[in-house]
């Protein structure tokens, strides 16, 4: 019998090594761009925690961290664009250089909501870093300052991304066998 995650895996989309190399490049780019500044990273729970933890260790400028937890209202498979804040930031971002860190941007509705919300709090600057961009699914344009990988319209899990709460801890990104959904 195959062992986890091979027993549920359809195809590996991004290996752990490919992710590691790209996350390092992103951390280096962020460190260059924020030279002389302090950056305040905002991780969007739950999906972004794995990415943020790895990214942070390649950031060589002074940095601090906070987290938000959000969820979409409405039907579970289709995001409505109305986002419920489950957990807000604990610190003020006024006058700070804020970098939102997300695992994936799909329709763009979650990120658009977050960017508009955080803008009202008067940060010195506000940028976005996403590991995965699925541009074919975009419903609203959203500016992405740092992108790890552009991916096709497939349901992917691993490296922070889940299906029914599972697979977030797998170090690579993969698609699931159809039996797993049904
Ligand atoms: C994912 C992801 C983004 C959102 C992107 O979160 O982390 O927040 O979906 O989708 P959108 O671009 O269509 O708005 P999810 O709702 O799966 O929650 P999770 O991070 O807790 O897994």
């Amino acid at each position: 019998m195959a062992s986890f995650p091979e027993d549920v895996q359809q195809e590996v989309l991004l290996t752990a090594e490919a992710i590691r190399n790209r996350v390092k490049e992103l951390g280096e780019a962020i460190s260059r761009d924020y030279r002389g500044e302090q950056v305040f990273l905002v991780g969007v729970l739950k999906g972004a925690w794995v990415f943020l933890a790895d990214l942070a260790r390649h950031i060589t400028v002074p940095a601090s961290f906070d987290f938000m937890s959000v969820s979409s209202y409405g039907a579970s498979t289709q995001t409505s664009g109305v986002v419920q804040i489950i957990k807000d930031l604990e610190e003020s971002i006024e006058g700070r250089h804020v970098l939102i860190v997300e695992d994936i941007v799909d329709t763009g509705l979650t990120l658009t909501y977050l960017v508009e919300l955080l803008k009202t709090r008067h940060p010195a600057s506000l940028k976005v870093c996403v590991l995965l961009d699925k541009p074919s699914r975009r419903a609203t344009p959203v500016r992405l300052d740092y992108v790890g990988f552009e991916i096709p319209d497939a349901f992917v899990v691993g490296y922070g991304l889940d299906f029914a709460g599972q697979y977030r801890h797998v170090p690579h990104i993969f698609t699931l066998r159809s039996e797993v959904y049904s």
Side-chain angles (χ1 to χ4, degrees):
M1 191 173 152
S3 59
F4 181 86
E6 286 76 15
D7 55 343
V8 293
Q9 187 169 283
Q10 179 78 37
E11 188 193 349
V12 176
L13 195 73
L14 295 166
T15 64
E17 189 190 6
I19 297 169
R20 195 161 47 242
N21 292 338
R22 185 68 186 127
V23 171
K24 181 170 185 278
E25 288 175 357
L26 290 174
E28 289 168 351
I30 291 165
S31 303
R32 275 196 303 276
D33 295 350
Y34 286 87
R35 186 169 298 156
E37 309 286 359
Q38 294 200 19
V39 62
F40 186 70
L41 289 103
V42 171
V44 186
L45 297 173
K46 296 176 185 168
W49 66 269
V50 177
F51 175 40
L52 179 59
D54 286 344
L55 180 70
R57 283 172 285 180
H58 291 290
I59 292 179
T60 54
V61 295
S64 50
F65 305 86
D66 203 349
F67 297 89
M68 292 184 82
S69 180
V70 299
S71 86
S72 295
Y73 280 153
S76 57
T77 52
Q78 286 249 310
T79 175
S80 61
V82 181
V83 174
Q84 185 184 13
I85 305 289
I86 310 288
K87 180 206 171 296
D88 205 338
L89 296 174
E90 290 170 22
E91 295 182 41
S92 165
I93 58 167
E94 189 170 347
R96 302 172 89 169
H97 294 287
V98 175
L99 179 61
I100 299 174
V101 178
E102 260 284 29
D103 54 346
I104 188 165
V105 56
D106 191 333
T107 64
L109 294 169
T110 305
L111 211 39
T112 298
Y113 179 88
L114 277 178
V115 165
E116 292 309 314
L117 175 70
L118 295 190
K119 265 188 199 166
T120 66
R121 301 181 183 180
H122 309 294
S125 66
L126 182 60
K127 289 187 176 183
V128 174
C129 175
V130 300
L131 180 66
L132 304 178
D133 179 17
K134 218 188 252 186
S136 58
R137 293 263 308 157
R138 199 74 89 253
T140 182
V142 54
R143 205 189 86 185
L144 306 175
D145 299 282
Y146 304 95
V147 177
F149 301 93
E150 245 184 47
I151 62 165
D153 184 13
F155 186 79
V156 294
V157 297
Y159 200 75
L161 294 124
D162 76 307
F163 171 65
Q166 296 293 309
Y167 317 116
R168 292 193 199 274
H169 62 108
V170 177
H172 59 272
I173 292 176
F174 61 102
T175 55
L176 288 168
R177 290 183 200 276
S178 55
E179 307 92 87
V180 181
Y181 298 98
S182 44

